[in-house]
Amino acid sequence: MIVHQHMPWAGWHMLELRLSHEHHQSLVQLWVDYGSGFSDEHAFFLPVKSGCVAKRLLYLPRRPRRIRFGPMGSVGPFSIEAFRMVWLTPWFARKRLLRRICSAHPSWRGRDMEAVRVELRDEAREKAVPFWEWAWRQYDETFYPQVDYSMWRARQERCDPDAISLRVRDVEGALGREGVRAAGAEPLFSILMPVFDPSPQWLADCLDSVLAQHFTNWELCIADDASTQPEVHGVLAAYVARDARIRVTYRQENGHISAASNTALEMARGHYLALLDHDDRLDPEALLCMAEVVVAHPEAALIYSDEDKVRGAREFFDPHFKPDWNPDLALSHNYVCHLAVFDRARVLEVGGFREGVDGSQDHDLLLRFVRGLPPSRIHHVPRVLYHWRVTEGSTAGSSHAKDYAAEAGQRAVASAVKAMLPSARVEPGRVPHSYRVRWPLPEHAPRVSLIIPTRDRVEILRPCLEAILERTDYPDFEVLVVDNESRCPQTLAYFEELRADPRVRVLEWHRRFNYSAINNFAVTQARGDIIGLVNNDIEPINADWLTEMVSHACRPEIGCVGAKLYYPNGRIQHGGVILGLGGVAGHSHKHLPGDAQGYFNRLQLVQNLSAVTAACLLVRREVFDQVGGLDEKNLPVAFNDVDLCLKVREAGYRNLWTPYAEAYHHESASRGEDNTPEKRRRAEREVAYMRRRWGRELDHDPAYNPNLTLAHEDFSLR
């Protein structure tokens, strides 16, 4: 689409655009022709979610002759619902530019705007680039399209031999210190590798990846499980002759992977065990990174890394950038997977690999291994150190492969859950190789007090309350409607109707709107043992939504529990809160289709998250009181739920999000947007407070991964 007439003048402009299309996100491009034709040198990117207004600054050094607009990055139907370019004063534009850099650029996110201005000016001076040109480059980077993984890998390559040698010497020197040795941490890594009829080519490739390790204090314990291919024996014999650290035991009968893994375990002499499949690859730095963790944390019992997949010789794809230790996600599926390094003594203590769960033997071992293990002894290395080979019929190639593995996984999870709470049940999850734990309610279901602040807008309040009262099958709950000085006659009349329902109480709040204060007041009036913070624009979808949330909230280790929320059009509004998005926090997977699986199925899995939205949040009253409730002074409107969740986490509880409690959310329908100078100043104060109070936590969300973007909500690469 080329625009010929009514060209904008030179200077600063704000592009405002809204598209509807069938994809989660479209990458819009705008090319400008100043007289020499269109080129990528004069192009602007803007990611646009369907149905949402997207904005970005444009700077035109001179008046264009033509503009070309590319609304879609791929073929498909779309409609342009809004498109305009608004001229801006330089002062206003530059302030918006710096604000965006401070909220979305990975190098400057969360920093004070004036401090960023000074540092950018210093950088520009060093590079002999005009200040605003340099600042513009930083701003423009926040709109770059999603990075291709092959490009990302190339950018991350670590090939400096001198730096590697220095790291190896540092590790070896640290391991020689008495304090580390006294902790029993000298890391001879015993790599366990069961083998049964792999491709000889990929077996050799796997063995080469072990020989290529920069950290050399390892042994490779191979248990051949009665392979039928003579070529496999030939490859193994050749590598045994090549390096004395490689040892092989040939089993006389095929016992499957658990039995073969136990045979390899019997051969092991190292303090740590690393698990390796017979056709996968280790990154050359894999064991070095693990040894560095051991040096820094001699108490470490379990260390795991990120991973990707490999096809053919060197086609790497589908990286899995994992969260730090996430117990409820580990019950939902085996997200730890590869590379995992275990303390050998503890593996022997829990009985090694259990036969009867072949195909999910590593998941079973993981769940037995971590039982009773303090989280401080579990460490995650956020780097891709393992390459999982994709071959026909492999689990890596298809989540539907090996149904027997999914059944074994369910047995493994059921065994782990039984040890925690015998009355809990495990059933298949919504996606292959996933599991849902049905935690039972206490014998006497606790009363739940659902608190709903409101002011006027009966047209959204009525559907909310009708949905809760008519669609909720939980046996004991009350609804506290807190009226913040409604004036609408229809709303006041509806309150009178509500007073006739014994499940509902209408409370009065005759003060200025303060979300935190309103809810804290209502908690003092609540009769329930569990507090539910619910917006007046929430409509539950499934009848057991409250039962599901209460079943988690009653678990003594769990703090805040959040739900899966949808926009009225069915797209995702809340899949949990990710810290750091946009500077403070944002919603996971926002605007994805409602049936999307999410990043490595996380939209379909119960998991621990740092925070969840108070649009629909449950927490035990004792926990709410323990942390002092919501912050009335510093967070009267925004981020009070994030602050609450972080205080709860700080107190030692795990926050949790479940996809099995679903509701529609008409986001901010009653309060409106921060579109006045007063509201914007209030919002800026709340952001500044959150950065002061929780800055480090906001920059390091353990439920996310530092390799993923903080500029967008889609788990794309940083």
Side-chain angles (χ1 to χ4, degrees):
M1 178 185 300
I2 300 178
V3 181
H4 294 275
Q5 298 177 339
H6 307 298
M7 288 294 100
W9 295 101
W12 293 94
H13 300 264
M14 180 66 75
L15 171 63
E16 298 181 358
L17 178 64
R18 185 169 66 200
L19 297 177
S20 285
H21 48 79
E22 59 185 9
H23 306 289
H24 158 54
Q25 182 168 277
S26 173
L27 183 65
V28 168
Q29 289 181 265
L30 204 71
W31 293 268
V32 180
D33 176 13
Y34 294 106
S36 302
F38 295 112
S39 70
D40 289 338
E41 181 183 357
H42 302 298
F44 303 95
F45 292 108
L46 179 60
V48 180
K49 294 181 173 68
S50 180
C52 299
V53 175
K55 300 180 181 181
R56 70 155 293 163
L57 293 172
L58 305 178
Y59 179 69
L60 307 177
R62 53 191 180 275
R63 193 176 190 188
R65 291 191 179 182
R66 297 184 301 166
I67 292 177
R68 185 166 70 190
F69 174 57
M72 297 281 285
S74 58
V75 175
F78 68 92
S79 62
I80 302 174
E81 298 175 351
F83 181 99
R84 68 172 183 160
M85 292 173 61
V86 181
W87 183 85
L88 304 176
T89 64
W91 175 87
F92 181 81
R94 289 167 177 170
K95 184 177 180 181
R96 290 295 296 265
L97 181 147
L98 286 172
R99 183 184 298 167
R100 170 78 183 185
I101 292 173
C102 293
S103 67
H105 196 287
S107 299
W108 308 102
R109 184 182 53 80
R111 303 279 300 280
D112 176 75
M113 190 183 300
E114 190 55 38
V116 169
R117 184 198 303 270
V118 171
E119 293 190 38
L120 286 174
R121 194 177 298 280
D122 291 342
E123 284 192 0
R125 188 179 298 114
E126 291 176 8
K127 297 178 181 296
V129 175
F131 168 64
W132 284 111
E133 179 182 331
W134 182 247
W136 172 259
R137 292 184 193 177
Q138 314 306 307
Y139 174 85
D140 200 43
E141 285 179 2
T142 67
F143 294 97
Y144 278 2
Q146 181 169 331
V147 180
D148 176 78
Y149 181 54
S150 60
M151 295 172 57
W152 185 90
R153 275 182 56 85
R155 197 173 67 196
Q156 300 292 319
E157 285 295 333
R158 300 165 290 273
C159 300
D160 184 348
D162 293 335
I164 293 294
S165 298
L166 180 61
R167 289 171 58 197
V168 171
R169 288 199 301 272
D170 286 346
V171 167
E172 291 175 343
L175 293 173
R177 293 199 300 267
E178 182 176 352
V180 175
R181 287 183 178 274
E186 181 178 358
L188 169 63
F189 290 98
S190 295
I191 304 170
L192 308 186
M193 190 169 79
V195 169
F196 179 71
D197 282 346
S199 157
Q201 176 187 358
W202 302 136
L203 174 60
D205 195 52
C206 174
L207 296 171
D208 286 338
S209 77
V210 176
L211 292 174
Q213 291 300 299
H214 297 308
F215 186 79
T216 58
N217 196 20
W218 55 263
E219 64 174 0
L220 179 57
C221 305
I222 301 174
D224 179 78
D225 198 22
S227 291
T228 61
Q229 299 180 50
E231 296 90 342
V232 170
H233 293 171
V235 170
L236 294 178
Y239 278 84
V240 167
R242 182 174 169 182
D243 195 306
R245 293 172 296 178
I246 301 176
R247 295 181 290 127
V248 181
T249 293
Y250 293 94
R251 293 171 50 86
Q252 298 304 306
E253 295 183 1
N254 180 267
H256 303 297
I257 192 167
S258 293
S261 296
N262 280 329
T263 298
L265 174 60
E266 292 169 2
M267 302 165 61
R269 298 169 297 191
H271 189 98
Y272 295 97
L273 306 174
L275 310 185
L276 177 63
D277 287 353
H278 59 198
D279 54 1
D280 295 343
R281 289 185 54 83
L282 294 178
D283 182 89
E285 294 184 41
L287 297 184
L288 175 58
C289 288
M290 296 294 165
E292 288 173 330
V293 173
V294 169
V295 168
H297 304 281
E299 78 289 348
L302 169 63
I303 312 168
Y304 65 95
S305 76
D306 298 336
E307 63 188 276
D308 64 11
K309 297 185 177 70
V310 60
R311 182 187 292 115
R314 291 294 183 273
E315 182 189 348
F316 300 101
F317 64 104
D318 200 21
H320 186 184
F321 291 109
K322 308 168 188 175
D324 290 346
W325 177 236
N326 197 308
D328 284 279
L329 185 61
L331 290 174
S332 297
H333 81 148
N334 184 15
Y335 82 92
V336 169
C337 213
H338 310 298
L339 171 69
V341 169
F342 297 85
D343 179 280
R344 181 171 67 97
R346 188 173 178 88
V347 169
L348 295 174
E349 182 182 322
V350 302
F353 296 89
R354 199 157 59 109
E355 298 188 32
V357 289
D358 293 290
S360 287
Q361 73 289 334
D362 50 352
H363 195 189
D364 176 73
L365 174 63
L366 171 74
L367 296 177
R368 288 184 289 117
F369 186 91
V370 300
R371 189 181 306 153
L373 185 68
S376 61
R377 299 189 65 190
I378 304 174
H379 294 268
H380 167 223
V381 179
R383 286 179 53 178
V384 173
L385 300 178
Y386 193 99
H387 310 294
W388 192 3
R389 181 163 301 284
V390 172
T391 57
E392 185 177 354
S394 69
T395 307
S398 170
S399 60
H400 296 280
K402 300 183 179 178
D403 286 341
Y404 73 89
E407 295 171 1
Q410 184 175 338
R411 292 195 298 274
V413 174
S415 176
V417 168
K418 183 178 180 180
M420 301 178 199
L421 189 62
S423 56
R425 296 183 292 110
V426 178
E427 59 190 46
R430 290 177 172 174
V431 292
H433 299 276
S434 74
Y435 316 99
R436 179 184 183 183
V437 181
R438 295 272 194 172
W439 300 98
L441 294 173
E443 183 178 353
H444 299 289
R447 173 170 292 186
V448 179
S449 296
L450 301 176
I451 298 171
I452 304 178
T454 193
R455 179 173 182 169
D456 296 323
R457 302 298 300 273
V458 67
E459 71 276 10
I460 64 169
L461 177 63
R462 185 188 293 272
C464 166
L465 288 177
E466 287 179 351
I468 290 174
L469 296 172
E470 295 174 7
R471 299 180 198 164
T472 302
D473 63 8
Y474 188 76
D476 189 1
F477 69 94
E478 65 171 354
V479 178
L480 304 183
V481 177
V482 190
D483 174 29
N484 187 200
E485 299 185 325
S486 293
R487 294 291 181 266
C488 167
Q490 291 84 357
T491 303
L492 297 175
Y494 183 54
F495 289 157
E496 292 305 315
E497 292 181 35
L498 290 175
R499 287 185 171 94
D501 191 320
R503 297 171 295 177
V504 182
R505 283 188 285 149
V506 180
L507 308 177
E508 304 291 339
W509 177 261
H510 296 291
R511 300 181 197 175
R512 185 177 181 179
F513 177 79
N514 181 320
Y515 178 86
S516 297
I518 290 172
N519 280 282
N520 287 343
F521 159 72
V523 170
T524 67
Q525 306 300 307
R527 298 165 182 160
D529 295 319
I530 293 180
I531 300 299
L533 305 182
V534 181
N535 277 18
N536 64 350
D537 51 2
I538 289 289
E539 296 182 38
I541 296 172
N542 52 313
D544 64 345
W545 71 279
L546 190 54
T547 301
E548 167 68 11
M549 296 182 75
V550 173
S551 72
H552 290 291
C554 288
R555 297 165 58 193
E557 69 274 17
I558 298 301
C560 298
V561 178
K564 186 176 187 178
L565 304 180
Y566 303 84
Y567 287 109
N569 64 5
R571 288 182 175 266
I572 300 295
Q573 190 271 335
H574 173 256
V577 170
I578 300 298
L579 303 181
L581 287 177
V584 176
H587 287 190
S588 163
H589 297 100
K590 200 171 183 179
H591 297 292
L592 257 65
D595 59 354
Q597 294 184 2
Y599 185 74
F600 282 85
N601 297 322
R602 286 183 66 169
L603 274 176
Q604 305 294 340
L605 303 171
V606 173
Q607 62 202 266
N608 303 117
L609 291 174
S610 295
V612 293
T613 179
C616 187
L617 180 155
L618 258 61
V619 62
R620 295 194 304 281
R621 182 174 187 151
E622 62 180 304
V623 176
F624 186 89
D625 291 340
Q626 178 185 347
V627 302
L630 298 167
D631 189 335
E632 304 177 13
K633 177 182 177 182
N634 299 295
L635 301 168
V637 177
F639 301 123
N640 34 53
D641 48 1
V642 178
D643 177 72
L644 172 68
C645 289
L646 291 178
K647 290 188 295 185
V648 167
R649 191 182 72 176
E650 188 177 56
Y653 302 96
R654 299 200 308 264
N655 297 318
L656 179 143
W657 177 85
T658 172
Y660 299 107
E662 300 173 279
Y664 291 112
H665 182 201
H666 306 269
E667 186 178 31
S668 298
S670 57
R671 187 178 64 83
E673 299 180 353
D674 294 328
N675 54 7
T676 68
E678 181 183 0
K679 287 183 177 181
R680 283 197 290 268
R681 284 192 295 271
R682 185 267 309 154
E684 290 172 0
R685 288 195 300 270
E686 291 173 329
V687 168
Y689 172 78
M690 289 295 292
R691 292 300 313 176
R692 288 194 308 273
R693 174 69 175 87
W694 300 108
R696 186 184 183 283
E697 286 80 1
L698 298 181
D699 292 336
H700 302 88
D701 189 343
Y704 201 49
N705 188 293
N707 295 293
L708 301 176
T709 182
L710 290 172
H712 308 292
E713 296 154 317
D714 57 4
F715 283 72
S716 55
L717 292 173
R718 172 175 280 188

